Amino acid sequence: RVKQNGSASSDVVTELTVVDDSGNARGSTIASGATLPFKANQAFVPVNTLFAPGQMRLFTIKAVLASNIARYFGTQLKVDVTGIDTTASVKGAFPIRGTTWTIGM
């Protein structure tokens, strides 16, 4: 589960993808018609993966922007991880803060 906390409208994002550090675990959510990945600045990107006890992994979240982004120039996109859906116990704190990008040419 992710949240867009920047000043840009979440409508600028047409697709979100997640990939792990091995390239094996992948998930995505793509805009379909009028349905965009974010609703009220929140989105869910499905990815199924298993962790061994104590294992650490790196996941990268990628955002694909709309083709016409001129009206968003100068605004910022910031995607934070707000939680995960799992039956296991989770150790750590959410949100996990993401990088801030400024949209421009």
Side-chain angles (χ1 to χ4, degrees):
R1 300 196 176 277
V2 296
K3 183 174 183 181
Q4 201 296 99
N5 287 315
S7 59
S9 168
S10 60
D11 293 348
V12 72
V13 177
T14 60
E15 178 181 359
L16 291 168
T17 61
V18 174
V19 64
D20 75 346
D21 50 2
S22 70
N24 293 324
R26 296 176 179 268
S28 68
T29 180
I30 302 171
S32 173
T35 305
L36 295 170
F38 284 102
K39 288 184 175 71
N41 284 351
Q42 298 192 42
F44 177 74
V45 184
V47 61
N48 291 319
T49 190
L50 298 174
F51 281 78
Q55 181 182 17
M56 292 179 59
R57 308 247 304 267
L58 174 68
F59 287 82
T60 302
I61 300 170
K62 301 176 185 181
V64 177
L65 302 184
S67 59
N68 181 5
I69 60 169
R71 69 181 183 202
Y72 302 107
F73 283 2
T75 62
Q76 296 180 334
L77 183 66
K78 181 179 179 187
V79 178
D80 297 332
V81 176
T82 58
I84 59 174
D85 290 356
T86 182
T87 57
S89 61
V90 177
K91 294 184 180 180
F94 291 99
I96 300 171
R97 302 290 181 203
T99 302
T100 300
W101 296 276
T102 300
I103 299 173
M105 297 211 49

